[in-house]
Amino acid sequence: MVNKIWLSAVLLSVIILFVNAQYDDVRCKCVCPSPTIANGTENNKKVYLKNTVPQDCKCVYVVDPLPPGVDQDFCLRCSCKFEVRNTTTIKVVVGIITSILGLLVIYMMFLLCLDPLMNRRQRARAYQEHQNEEETLPSENISNGVESTSRPRSTTLVNRVTDRLKDGQEKWKGTVKAQRRNIFDEHTMLN
């Protein structure tokens, strides 16, 4: 496993070293017909790129050297444009999008870890048949200012919050199931 990681890291570094791409902010882009076309009836185009100043954004300077067997009329059929782009802005936007995706993945992992904990409590609390008996509330069991319940107050608060989360999640899951049933089975939409 470690050897595969090292091999992929070395391969990636070699690819990065030998990749030749243009990351400049200014360039001249000329779109010309393919030099192999003799009569100009085909639509094959070739793109030529070069870093130049705006005054030199012409076919003569960008398509250098001219392809063999091509006359001076070749440049008349080319369309050259000077382009300015901000690579720093592009890098910042890509970084923001990547960090947002990373945060969403971390949040998904958190929810995946939280779901079994909530379901474990649900399985531990098996259904008990409800008896119509009179029960006293904890506030009625307070005698001499001391609560008579055996559970601490903080545990009760945590259980209430967890139960609210679980109830909200179950309600959401029920809504999703109802939407799926209506859309896929009955071919209707919820209003």
Side-chain angles (χ1 to χ4, degrees):
M1 179 71 177
V2 175
N3 290 335
K4 289 181 181 180
I5 294 173
W6 278 107
L7 180 64
S8 60
V10 168
L11 183 64
L12 183 65
S13 62
V14 168
I15 290 173
I16 289 173
L17 289 175
F18 290 109
V19 169
N20 187 12
Q22 183 179 7
Y23 295 109
D24 298 319
D25 288 341
V26 294
R27 69 181 183 179
C28 182
K29 178 181 176 182
C30 288
V31 180
C32 302
S34 178
T36 58
I37 299 174
N39 56 9
T41 57
E42 297 180 24
N43 290 334
N44 293 340
K45 304 277 184 183
K46 187 165 183 180
V47 177
Y48 297 95
L49 300 171
K50 189 172 187 181
N51 297 335
T52 61
V53 292
Q55 295 82 12
D56 292 339
C57 187
K58 296 176 185 160
C59 172
V60 177
Y61 300 113
V62 175
V63 183
D64 188 33
L66 285 173
V70 174
D71 56 356
Q72 293 299 328
D73 292 336
F74 176 76
C75 283
L76 296 176
R77 296 182 293 185
C78 292
S79 171
C80 294
K81 290 184 199 174
F82 184 74
E83 296 178 346
V84 178
R85 60 185 180 177
N86 192 349
T87 54
T88 306
T89 304
I90 295 169
K91 290 177 185 176
V92 168
V93 169
V94 168
I96 290 171
I97 291 172
T98 306
S99 61
I100 289 172
L101 288 175
L103 287 173
L104 287 174
V105 167
I106 291 171
Y107 180 65
M108 182 187 69
M109 298 304 254
F110 170 73
L111 290 178
L112 287 175
C113 293
L114 184 66
D115 191 41
L117 293 175
M118 293 177 72
N119 286 337
R120 180 177 42 169
R121 286 189 182 167
Q122 184 180 9
R123 283 187 215 119
R125 262 189 272 151
Y127 177 74
Q128 297 175 358
E129 186 177 345
H130 180 69
Q131 303 290 331
N132 289 332
E133 298 175 1
E134 284 189 28
E135 294 183 15
T136 56
L137 297 174
S139 61
E140 295 173 358
N141 283 340
I142 299 177
S143 58
N144 297 332
V146 178
E147 213 174 273
S148 64
T149 58
S150 60
R151 293 183 358 195
R153 185 176 178 95
S154 63
T155 307
T156 315
L157 181 63
V158 169
N159 286 341
R160 274 193 247 149
V161 171
T162 306
D163 288 341
R164 280 188 192 164
L165 282 173
K166 184 184 62 132
D167 291 341
Q169 185 181 23
E170 292 300 322
K171 181 179 176 184
W172 177 76
K173 285 181 181 179
T175 304
V176 169
K177 284 181 184 178
Q179 288 175 352
R180 284 183 183 151
R181 186 183 68 249
N182 287 339
I183 290 174
F184 294 117
D185 296 342
E186 300 170 11
H187 303 291
T188 61
M189 294 187 68
L190 294 175
N191 292 332

